[in-house]
Amino acid sequence: MTGLATILSLLAIAFAPALAQQKTAVKPATNDTTTQGKPMKILVAYYSRTGTTKRVCEELAAAVGADIEQITDTKKRSGVFGYLGGGRDAVRKSQTVIGPLKHDPAQYDLVVLASPVWGAHIAPALRTYLAQHKGKIKRAAFLCTMGGSGDAGTFADMKELTGLEPATQLTLLQRDVKKGAHAAKLKEFADKLK
Protein backbone atom coordinates (compact mmCIF):
# COMPACT_ATOMS: atom_id res chain seq x y z
CA MET A 1 0.00 0.00 0.00
CA THR A 2 2.84 2.38 0.77
CA GLY A 3 4.36 1.71 -2.67
CA LEU A 4 1.06 2.63 -4.33
CA ALA A 5 0.78 5.79 -2.20
CA THR A 6 4.31 6.79 -3.22
CA ILE A 7 3.57 6.25 -6.92
CA LEU A 8 0.37 8.32 -6.67
CA SER A 9 2.23 11.10 -4.87
CA LEU A 10 4.90 11.14 -7.58
CA LEU A 11 2.27 11.23 -10.32
CA ALA A 12 0.47 14.09 -8.56
CA ILE A 13 3.74 16.05 -8.34
CA ALA A 14 4.57 15.34 -11.98
CA PHE A 15 1.18 16.44 -13.32
CA ALA A 16 0.54 19.38 -10.96
CA PRO A 17 2.02 22.07 -13.31
CA ALA A 18 -0.09 20.87 -16.24
CA LEU A 19 -3.27 20.87 -14.16
CA ALA A 20 -2.54 24.35 -12.79
CA GLN A 21 -1.96 25.65 -16.34
CA GLN A 22 -5.33 24.29 -17.49
CA LYS A 23 -7.14 25.98 -14.62
CA THR A 24 -5.64 29.40 -15.35
CA ALA A 25 -6.40 29.10 -19.08
CA VAL A 26 -10.15 28.95 -18.42
CA LYS A 27 -11.71 32.42 -18.17
CA PRO A 28 -15.12 33.12 -16.71
CA ALA A 29 -17.81 34.02 -19.23
CA THR A 30 -18.91 37.64 -19.32
CA ASN A 31 -21.39 39.65 -21.36
CA ASP A 32 -18.70 42.09 -22.54
CA THR A 33 -18.05 41.24 -26.20
CA THR A 34 -14.62 42.86 -26.16
CA THR A 35 -13.37 40.59 -23.36
CA GLN A 36 -14.55 37.48 -25.19
CA GLY A 37 -12.20 38.26 -28.04
CA LYS A 38 -14.99 39.37 -30.34
CA PRO A 39 -14.51 42.67 -32.17
CA MET A 40 -16.77 45.52 -31.18
CA LYS A 41 -19.78 45.77 -33.49
CA ILE A 42 -19.79 49.27 -35.01
CA LEU A 43 -22.29 51.01 -37.29
CA VAL A 44 -21.46 54.21 -39.19
CA ALA A 45 -24.75 56.05 -39.86
CA TYR A 46 -24.48 59.19 -41.98
CA TYR A 47 -26.20 61.67 -44.24
CA SER A 48 -24.31 63.33 -47.09
CA ARG A 49 -25.57 65.85 -49.64
CA THR A 50 -22.45 66.50 -51.71
CA GLY A 51 -20.48 63.31 -51.09
CA THR A 52 -17.92 64.73 -48.65
CA THR A 53 -19.40 63.07 -45.55
CA LYS A 54 -20.02 59.89 -47.58
CA ARG A 55 -16.35 59.66 -48.57
CA VAL A 56 -15.17 60.10 -44.97
CA CYS A 57 -17.67 57.56 -43.62
CA GLU A 58 -16.79 54.93 -46.22
CA GLU A 59 -13.09 55.33 -45.36
CA LEU A 60 -13.88 55.12 -41.63
CA ALA A 61 -16.08 52.03 -42.00
CA ALA A 62 -13.34 50.28 -44.00
CA ALA A 63 -10.72 51.21 -41.37
CA VAL A 64 -12.68 49.83 -38.39
CA GLY A 65 -14.60 47.02 -40.09
CA ALA A 66 -17.97 48.69 -39.47
CA ASP A 67 -21.32 48.30 -41.16
CA ILE A 68 -22.52 51.43 -42.90
CA GLU A 69 -25.95 53.08 -43.07
CA GLN A 70 -26.44 55.83 -45.62
CA ILE A 71 -29.43 57.91 -44.58
CA THR A 72 -31.24 59.34 -47.59
CA ASP A 73 -33.52 62.36 -47.62
CA THR A 74 -36.54 61.98 -49.91
CA LYS A 75 -36.76 65.78 -50.20
CA LYS A 76 -34.73 67.24 -53.07
CA ARG A 77 -31.63 68.86 -51.57
CA SER A 78 -29.51 69.33 -54.70
CA GLY A 79 -28.76 72.68 -56.35
CA VAL A 80 -28.92 76.17 -54.87
CA PHE A 81 -32.55 75.92 -53.76
CA GLY A 82 -31.98 72.52 -52.19
CA TYR A 83 -28.97 73.90 -50.34
CA LEU A 84 -30.86 76.97 -49.07
CA GLY A 85 -33.94 74.95 -48.13
CA GLY A 86 -31.80 72.40 -46.32
CA GLY A 87 -30.09 75.13 -44.32
CA ARG A 88 -33.44 76.67 -43.42
CA ASP A 89 -34.83 73.27 -42.33
CA ALA A 90 -31.71 72.56 -40.26
CA VAL A 91 -31.90 75.89 -38.43
CA ARG A 92 -35.61 75.30 -37.76
CA LYS A 93 -34.71 71.82 -36.47
CA SER A 94 -37.18 70.32 -38.90
CA GLN A 95 -37.44 66.63 -39.65
CA THR A 96 -37.92 65.14 -43.11
CA VAL A 97 -38.92 61.84 -44.67
CA ILE A 98 -35.97 59.47 -44.98
CA GLY A 99 -35.55 56.42 -47.19
CA PRO A 100 -35.61 52.80 -46.00
CA LEU A 101 -32.87 51.69 -43.60
CA LYS A 102 -30.90 48.42 -43.50
CA HIS A 103 -29.55 48.27 -39.95
CA ASP A 104 -31.01 48.44 -36.45
CA PRO A 105 -28.68 50.62 -34.32
CA ALA A 106 -29.78 48.72 -31.19
CA GLN A 107 -27.79 45.71 -32.48
CA TYR A 108 -24.46 47.61 -32.30
CA ASP A 109 -22.01 48.29 -29.48
CA LEU A 110 -21.17 51.72 -30.95
CA VAL A 111 -22.84 53.92 -33.56
CA VAL A 112 -20.84 56.66 -35.30
CA LEU A 113 -23.22 59.46 -36.25
CA ALA A 114 -22.09 61.71 -39.09
CA SER A 115 -23.56 64.78 -40.74
CA PRO A 116 -22.50 67.84 -42.67
CA VAL A 117 -22.90 71.10 -40.75
CA TRP A 118 -25.92 73.05 -41.98
CA GLY A 119 -26.43 76.41 -40.28
CA ALA A 120 -24.56 75.15 -37.16
CA HIS A 121 -26.93 72.16 -36.91
CA ILE A 122 -27.22 68.57 -38.15
CA ALA A 123 -28.94 67.86 -41.45
CA PRO A 124 -32.69 67.15 -41.19
CA ALA A 125 -32.21 63.56 -42.40
CA LEU A 126 -29.93 62.72 -39.44
CA ARG A 127 -32.33 64.52 -37.07
CA THR A 128 -35.14 62.30 -38.36
CA TYR A 129 -32.99 59.17 -38.04
CA LEU A 130 -32.18 60.00 -34.41
CA ALA A 131 -35.83 60.73 -33.60
CA GLN A 132 -36.86 57.37 -35.09
CA HIS A 133 -34.20 55.51 -33.09
CA LYS A 134 -34.48 57.39 -29.80
CA GLY A 135 -33.18 55.24 -26.94
CA LYS A 136 -31.81 52.50 -29.22
CA ILE A 137 -28.23 53.76 -29.46
CA LYS A 138 -26.16 52.47 -26.52
CA ARG A 139 -22.91 54.30 -27.22
CA ALA A 140 -22.08 56.91 -29.85
CA ALA A 141 -19.26 58.80 -31.50
CA PHE A 142 -19.87 62.02 -33.42
CA LEU A 143 -18.41 63.16 -36.73
CA CYS A 144 -19.15 66.20 -38.86
CA THR A 145 -17.84 67.81 -42.01
CA MET A 146 -18.07 71.54 -42.53
CA GLY A 147 -17.10 74.41 -44.76
CA GLY A 148 -15.83 76.65 -41.98
CA SER A 149 -17.70 76.66 -38.65
CA GLY A 150 -20.70 75.37 -36.75
CA ASP A 151 -19.42 72.05 -35.41
CA ALA A 152 -20.23 72.94 -31.77
CA GLY A 153 -23.92 73.37 -32.58
CA THR A 154 -23.94 70.20 -34.66
CA PHE A 155 -22.42 68.15 -31.84
CA ALA A 156 -24.85 69.75 -29.38
CA ASP A 157 -27.74 68.54 -31.57
CA MET A 158 -26.33 65.00 -31.62
CA LYS A 159 -25.84 65.01 -27.85
CA GLU A 160 -29.35 66.34 -27.22
CA LEU A 161 -31.05 63.89 -29.58
CA THR A 162 -29.18 60.79 -28.36
CA GLY A 163 -28.96 61.77 -24.70
CA LEU A 164 -25.36 60.52 -24.80
CA GLU A 165 -21.91 61.91 -24.25
CA PRO A 166 -19.80 60.95 -27.28
CA ALA A 167 -17.07 58.33 -26.90
CA THR A 168 -15.08 60.66 -29.17
CA GLN A 169 -15.83 63.26 -31.83
CA LEU A 170 -14.21 64.59 -34.99
CA THR A 171 -14.64 67.66 -37.16
CA LEU A 172 -13.24 67.67 -40.69
CA LEU A 173 -13.10 70.62 -43.06
CA GLN A 174 -14.56 70.00 -46.51
CA ARG A 175 -11.50 71.47 -48.23
CA ASP A 176 -9.20 69.08 -46.34
CA VAL A 177 -11.30 66.09 -47.39
CA LYS A 178 -11.26 67.23 -51.03
CA LYS A 179 -7.44 67.47 -50.92
CA GLY A 180 -7.08 64.19 -49.00
CA ALA A 181 -5.50 66.07 -46.09
CA HIS A 182 -7.87 64.50 -43.55
CA ALA A 183 -6.31 61.01 -43.40
CA ALA A 184 -4.24 61.49 -40.22
CA LYS A 185 -7.18 62.93 -38.23
CA LEU A 186 -9.49 60.19 -39.47
CA LYS A 187 -6.99 57.49 -38.51
CA GLU A 188 -6.64 58.95 -35.01
CA PHE A 189 -10.45 59.00 -34.68
CA ALA A 190 -10.69 55.40 -35.95
CA ASP A 191 -8.05 54.26 -33.45
CA LYS A 192 -10.12 55.72 -30.60
CA LEU A 193 -13.13 53.66 -31.72
CA LYS A 194 -11.35 50.30 -31.51
Side-chain angles (χ1 to χ4, degrees):
M1 210 48 167
T2 55
L4 182 58
T6 306
I7 291 171
L8 289 175
S9 295
L10 290 172
L11 286 173
I13 293 168
F15 288 106
L19 291 172
Q21 196 173 22
Q22 277 185 339
K23 285 181 184 176
T24 57
V26 177
K27 292 182 181 178
T30 65
N31 290 330
D32 184 359
T33 58
T34 55
T35 60
Q36 292 179 358
K38 295 178 187 174
M40 188 185 315
K41 201 169 173 191
I42 301 173
L43 176 67
V44 177
Y46 74 92
Y47 170 77
S48 184
R49 186 181 85 91
T50 64
T52 302
T53 308
K54 178 179 181 174
R55 174 182 170 181
V56 169
C57 288
E58 287 175 347
E59 290 171 4
L60 176 64
V64 298
D67 289 334
I68 196 158
E69 183 77 75
Q70 180 176 6
I71 304 161
T72 57
D73 191 337
T74 60
K75 192 170 187 178
K76 187 180 179 208
R77 301 288 185 189
S78 61
V80 175
F81 293 112
Y83 172 77
L84 293 173
R88 180 197 64 228
D89 289 348
V91 170
R92 290 180 177 172
K93 299 186 176 185
S94 300
Q95 291 187 27
T96 188
V97 177
I98 59 175
L101 302 167
K102 299 178 197 170
H103 304 283
D104 177 2
Q107 300 302 312
Y108 292 85
D109 302 307
L110 174 73
V111 179
V112 178
L113 301 166
S115 175
V117 173
W118 287 7
H121 293 284
I122 59 173
L126 184 61
R127 182 176 296 281
T128 304
Y129 175 84
L130 293 175
Q132 289 179 2
H133 294 95
K134 190 164 183 69
K136 289 185 178 180
I137 298 171
K138 302 170 204 160
R139 192 164 167 251
F142 302 159
L143 187 155
C144 71
T145 57
M146 65 182 187
S149 63
D151 55 340
T154 300
F155 291 145
D157 284 349
M158 291 180 187
K159 184 177 172 183
E160 177 187 342
L161 292 164
T162 61
L164 300 170
E165 285 291 333
T168 187
Q169 61 189 39
L170 174 66
T171 301
L172 293 172
L173 293 172
Q174 185 178 19
R175 65 179 172 267
D176 289 342
V177 175
K178 284 184 178 178
K179 293 186 293 187
H182 66 292
K185 285 184 179 178
L186 189 62
K187 183 186 181 315
E188 184 181 336
F189 180 74
D191 290 343
K192 290 177 182 176
L193 299 179
K194 295 177 187 176

PDB file of all heavy atoms in Angstrom, residues 73-92:
ATOM      1  N   ASP A  73     -32.421  61.408 -47.798  1.00  0.00           N
ATOM      2  CA  ASP A  73     -33.518  62.363 -47.621  1.00  0.00           C
ATOM      3  C   ASP A  73     -34.372  62.300 -48.882  1.00  0.00           C
ATOM      4  O   ASP A  73     -33.858  62.463 -49.995  1.00  0.00           O
ATOM      5  CB  ASP A  73     -32.930  63.762 -47.428  1.00  0.00           C
ATOM      6  CG  ASP A  73     -33.950  64.789 -46.962  1.00  0.00           C
ATOM      7  OD1 ASP A  73     -35.163  64.579 -47.191  1.00  0.00           O
ATOM      8  OD2 ASP A  73     -33.536  65.805 -46.380  1.00  0.00           O
ATOM      9  N   THR A  74     -35.670  62.061 -48.733  1.00  0.00           N
ATOM     10  CA  THR A  74     -36.539  61.976 -49.911  1.00  0.00           C
ATOM     11  C   THR A  74     -36.858  63.356 -50.485  1.00  0.00           C
ATOM     12  O   THR A  74     -37.331  63.458 -51.604  1.00  0.00           O
ATOM     13  CB  THR A  74     -37.856  61.237 -49.571  1.00  0.00           C
ATOM     14  OG1 THR A  74     -38.539  61.951 -48.543  1.00  0.00           O
ATOM     15  CG2 THR A  74     -37.580  59.815 -49.114  1.00  0.00           C
ATOM     16  N   LYS A  75     -36.563  64.404 -49.715  1.00  0.00           N
ATOM     17  CA  LYS A  75     -36.760  65.776 -50.199  1.00  0.00           C
ATOM     18  C   LYS A  75     -35.566  66.163 -51.059  1.00  0.00           C
ATOM     19  O   LYS A  75     -34.419  65.873 -50.715  1.00  0.00           O
ATOM     20  CB  LYS A  75     -36.886  66.716 -49.001  1.00  0.00           C
ATOM     21  CG  LYS A  75     -37.365  68.097 -49.344  1.00  0.00           C
ATOM     22  CD  LYS A  75     -37.691  68.874 -48.072  1.00  0.00           C
ATOM     23  CE  LYS A  75     -38.324  70.198 -48.404  1.00  0.00           C
ATOM     24  NZ  LYS A  75     -38.695  70.930 -47.189  1.00  0.00           N
ATOM     25  N   LYS A  76     -35.818  66.838 -52.170  1.00  0.00           N
ATOM     26  CA  LYS A  76     -34.734  67.238 -53.070  1.00  0.00           C
ATOM     27  C   LYS A  76     -33.856  68.295 -52.384  1.00  0.00           C
ATOM     28  O   LYS A  76     -34.343  69.364 -52.015  1.00  0.00           O
ATOM     29  CB  LYS A  76     -35.303  67.777 -54.381  1.00  0.00           C
ATOM     30  CG  LYS A  76     -34.232  68.043 -55.397  1.00  0.00           C
ATOM     31  CD  LYS A  76     -34.803  68.564 -56.694  1.00  0.00           C
ATOM     32  CE  LYS A  76     -33.648  68.821 -57.636  1.00  0.00           C
ATOM     33  NZ  LYS A  76     -33.932  69.856 -58.599  1.00  0.00           N
ATOM     34  N   ARG A  77     -32.561  67.949 -52.236  1.00  0.00           N
ATOM     35  CA  ARG A  77     -31.627  68.863 -51.570  1.00  0.00           C
ATOM     36  C   ARG A  77     -30.505  69.323 -52.507  1.00  0.00           C
ATOM     37  O   ARG A  77     -29.590  69.998 -52.081  1.00  0.00           O
ATOM     38  CB  ARG A  77     -30.996  68.173 -50.356  1.00  0.00           C
ATOM     39  CG  ARG A  77     -31.981  67.709 -49.302  1.00  0.00           C
ATOM     40  CD  ARG A  77     -32.577  68.835 -48.520  1.00  0.00           C
ATOM     41  NE  ARG A  77     -33.423  68.350 -47.429  1.00  0.00           N
ATOM     42  CZ  ARG A  77     -34.197  69.113 -46.698  1.00  0.00           C
ATOM     43  NH1 ARG A  77     -34.252  70.404 -46.903  1.00  0.00           N
ATOM     44  NH2 ARG A  77     -34.942  68.588 -45.744  1.00  0.00           N
ATOM     45  N   SER A  78     -30.578  68.950 -53.764  1.00  0.00           N
ATOM     46  CA  SER A  78     -29.511  69.334 -54.702  1.00  0.00           C
ATOM     47  C   SER A  78     -29.731  70.764 -55.208  1.00  0.00           C
ATOM     48  O   SER A  78     -30.820  71.326 -55.078  1.00  0.00           O
ATOM     49  CB  SER A  78     -29.458  68.358 -55.878  1.00  0.00           C
ATOM     50  OG  SER A  78     -30.687  68.374 -56.572  1.00  0.00           O
ATOM     51  N   GLY A  79     -28.678  71.342 -55.784  1.00  0.00           N
ATOM     52  CA  GLY A  79     -28.758  72.685 -56.350  1.00  0.00           C
ATOM     53  C   GLY A  79     -28.822  73.769 -55.284  1.00  0.00           C
ATOM     54  O   GLY A  79     -28.804  73.502 -54.084  1.00  0.00           O
ATOM     55  N   VAL A  80     -28.923  75.006 -55.755  1.00  0.00           N
ATOM     56  CA  VAL A  80     -28.923  76.167 -54.869  1.00  0.00           C
ATOM     57  C   VAL A  80     -30.161  76.169 -53.969  1.00  0.00           C
ATOM     58  O   VAL A  80     -30.060  76.391 -52.760  1.00  0.00           O
ATOM     59  CB  VAL A  80     -28.849  77.480 -55.688  1.00  0.00           C
ATOM     60  CG1 VAL A  80     -28.977  78.702 -54.785  1.00  0.00           C
ATOM     61  CG2 VAL A  80     -27.556  77.553 -56.465  1.00  0.00           C
ATOM     62  N   PHE A  81     -31.325  75.894 -54.555  1.00  0.00           N
ATOM     63  CA  PHE A  81     -32.554  75.924 -53.762  1.00  0.00           C
ATOM     64  C   PHE A  81     -32.588  74.781 -52.738  1.00  0.00           C
ATOM     65  O   PHE A  81     -33.056  74.955 -51.625  1.00  0.00           O
ATOM     66  CB  PHE A  81     -33.792  75.897 -54.667  1.00  0.00           C
ATOM     67  CG  PHE A  81     -33.940  77.150 -55.478  1.00  0.00           C
ATOM     68  CD1 PHE A  81     -33.783  77.124 -56.853  1.00  0.00           C
ATOM     69  CD2 PHE A  81     -34.219  78.364 -54.859  1.00  0.00           C
ATOM     70  CE1 PHE A  81     -33.908  78.292 -57.607  1.00  0.00           C
ATOM     71  CE2 PHE A  81     -34.341  79.538 -55.603  1.00  0.00           C
ATOM     72  CZ  PHE A  81     -34.186  79.502 -56.984  1.00  0.00           C
ATOM     73  N   GLY A  82     -32.074  73.641 -53.129  1.00  0.00           N
ATOM     74  CA  GLY A  82     -31.983  72.521 -52.193  1.00  0.00           C
ATOM     75  C   GLY A  82     -31.051  72.844 -51.037  1.00  0.00           C
ATOM     76  O   GLY A  82     -31.344  72.523 -49.876  1.00  0.00           O
ATOM     77  N   TYR A  83     -29.944  73.501 -51.352  1.00  0.00           N
ATOM     78  CA  TYR A  83     -28.971  73.904 -50.337  1.00  0.00           C
ATOM     79  C   TYR A  83     -29.587  74.904 -49.361  1.00  0.00           C
ATOM     80  O   TYR A  83     -29.507  74.747 -48.140  1.00  0.00           O
ATOM     81  CB  TYR A  83     -27.742  74.507 -51.027  1.00  0.00           C
ATOM     82  CG  TYR A  83     -26.745  75.133 -50.097  1.00  0.00           C
ATOM     83  CD1 TYR A  83     -25.875  74.346 -49.351  1.00  0.00           C
ATOM     84  CD2 TYR A  83     -26.657  76.516 -49.967  1.00  0.00           C
ATOM     85  CE1 TYR A  83     -24.952  74.918 -48.491  1.00  0.00           C
ATOM     86  CE2 TYR A  83     -25.732  77.104 -49.110  1.00  0.00           C
ATOM     87  CZ  TYR A  83     -24.889  76.297 -48.383  1.00  0.00           C
ATOM     88  OH  TYR A  83     -23.972  76.867 -47.525  1.00  0.00           O
ATOM     89  N   LEU A  84     -30.251  75.937 -49.914  1.00  0.00           N
ATOM     90  CA  LEU A  84     -30.859  76.972 -49.065  1.00  0.00           C
ATOM     91  C   LEU A  84     -32.009  76.405 -48.231  1.00  0.00           C
ATOM     92  O   LEU A  84     -32.129  76.701 -47.045  1.00  0.00           O
ATOM     93  CB  LEU A  84     -31.347  78.139 -49.931  1.00  0.00           C
ATOM     94  CG  LEU A  84     -30.247  78.945 -50.631  1.00  0.00           C
ATOM     95  CD1 LEU A  84     -30.852  79.962 -51.592  1.00  0.00           C
ATOM     96  CD2 LEU A  84     -29.336  79.632 -49.623  1.00  0.00           C
ATOM     97  N   GLY A  85     -32.828  75.569 -48.849  1.00  0.00           N
ATOM     98  CA  GLY A  85     -33.941  74.955 -48.127  1.00  0.00           C
ATOM     99  C   GLY A  85     -33.452  74.017 -47.029  1.00  0.00           C
ATOM    100  O   GLY A  85     -34.024  73.971 -45.933  1.00  0.00           O
ATOM    101  N   GLY A  86     -32.384  73.299 -47.315  1.00  0.00           N
ATOM    102  CA  GLY A  86     -31.804  72.400 -46.318  1.00  0.00           C
ATOM    103  C   GLY A  86     -31.271  73.161 -45.122  1.00  0.00           C
ATOM    104  O   GLY A  86     -31.472  72.763 -43.970  1.00  0.00           O
ATOM    105  N   GLY A  87     -30.599  74.282 -45.401  1.00  0.00           N
ATOM    106  CA  GLY A  87     -30.087  75.125 -44.318  1.00  0.00           C
ATOM    107  C   GLY A  87     -31.204  75.683 -43.470  1.00  0.00           C
ATOM    108  O   GLY A  87     -31.131  75.692 -42.234  1.00  0.00           O
ATOM    109  N   ARG A  88     -32.278  76.133 -44.136  1.00  0.00           N
ATOM    110  CA  ARG A  88     -33.440  76.667 -43.417  1.00  0.00           C
ATOM    111  C   ARG A  88     -34.065  75.582 -42.529  1.00  0.00           C
ATOM    112  O   ARG A  88     -34.357  75.809 -41.363  1.00  0.00           O
ATOM    113  CB  ARG A  88     -34.480  77.179 -44.424  1.00  0.00           C
ATOM    114  CG  ARG A  88     -35.732  77.757 -43.774  1.00  0.00           C
ATOM    115  CD  ARG A  88     -36.909  77.888 -44.731  1.00  0.00           C
ATOM    116  NE  ARG A  88     -37.300  76.552 -45.157  1.00  0.00           N
ATOM    117  CZ  ARG A  88     -37.510  76.201 -46.431  1.00  0.00           C
ATOM    118  NH1 ARG A  88     -37.384  77.077 -47.397  1.00  0.00           N
ATOM    119  NH2 ARG A  88     -37.865  74.967 -46.732  1.00  0.00           N
ATOM    120  N   ASP A  89     -34.235  74.376 -43.091  1.00  0.00           N
ATOM    121  CA  ASP A  89     -34.830  73.271 -42.327  1.00  0.00           C
ATOM    122  C   ASP A  89     -33.949  72.873 -41.138  1.00  0.00           C
ATOM    123  O   ASP A  89     -34.452  72.530 -40.069  1.00  0.00           O
ATOM    124  CB  ASP A  89     -35.077  72.060 -43.225  1.00  0.00           C
ATOM    125  CG  ASP A  89     -36.216  72.292 -44.220  1.00  0.00           C
ATOM    126  OD1 ASP A  89     -36.959  73.281 -44.070  1.00  0.00           O
ATOM    127  OD2 ASP A  89     -36.347  71.472 -45.149  1.00  0.00           O
ATOM    128  N   ALA A  90     -32.638  72.919 -41.338  1.00  0.00           N
ATOM    129  CA  ALA A  90     -31.710  72.559 -40.258  1.00  0.00           C
ATOM    130  C   ALA A  90     -31.798  73.566 -39.110  1.00  0.00           C
ATOM    131  O   ALA A  90     -31.863  73.182 -37.943  1.00  0.00           O
ATOM    132  CB  ALA A  90     -30.284  72.480 -40.788  1.00  0.00           C
ATOM    133  N   VAL A  91     -31.820  74.845 -39.451  1.00  0.00           N
ATOM    134  CA  VAL A  91     -31.902  75.893 -38.433  1.00  0.00           C
ATOM    135  C   VAL A  91     -33.239  75.811 -37.683  1.00  0.00           C
ATOM    136  O   VAL A  91     -33.299  76.025 -36.468  1.00  0.00           O
ATOM    137  CB  VAL A  91     -31.701  77.293 -39.063  1.00  0.00           C
ATOM    138  CG1 VAL A  91     -32.026  78.408 -38.085  1.00  0.00           C
ATOM    139  CG2 VAL A  91     -30.260  77.432 -39.561  1.00  0.00           C
ATOM    140  N   ARG A  92     -34.288  75.454 -38.385  1.00  0.00           N
ATOM    141  CA  ARG A  92     -35.614  75.302 -37.758  1.00  0.00           C
ATOM    142  C   ARG A  92     -35.737  73.981 -36.990  1.00  0.00           C
ATOM    143  O   ARG A  92     -36.771  73.719 -36.392  1.00  0.00           O
ATOM    144  CB  ARG A  92     -36.703  75.359 -38.821  1.00  0.00           C
ATOM    145  CG  ARG A  92     -36.877  76.722 -39.431  1.00  0.00           C
ATOM    146  CD  ARG A  92     -37.971  76.687 -40.469  1.00  0.00           C
ATOM    147  NE  ARG A  92     -38.218  78.000 -41.031  1.00  0.00           N
ATOM    148  CZ  ARG A  92     -39.018  78.235 -42.058  1.00  0.00           C
ATOM    149  NH1 ARG A  92     -39.654  77.236 -42.648  1.00  0.00           N
ATOM    150  NH2 ARG A  92     -39.180  79.458 -42.514  1.00  0.00           N
TER     151      ARG A  92
END
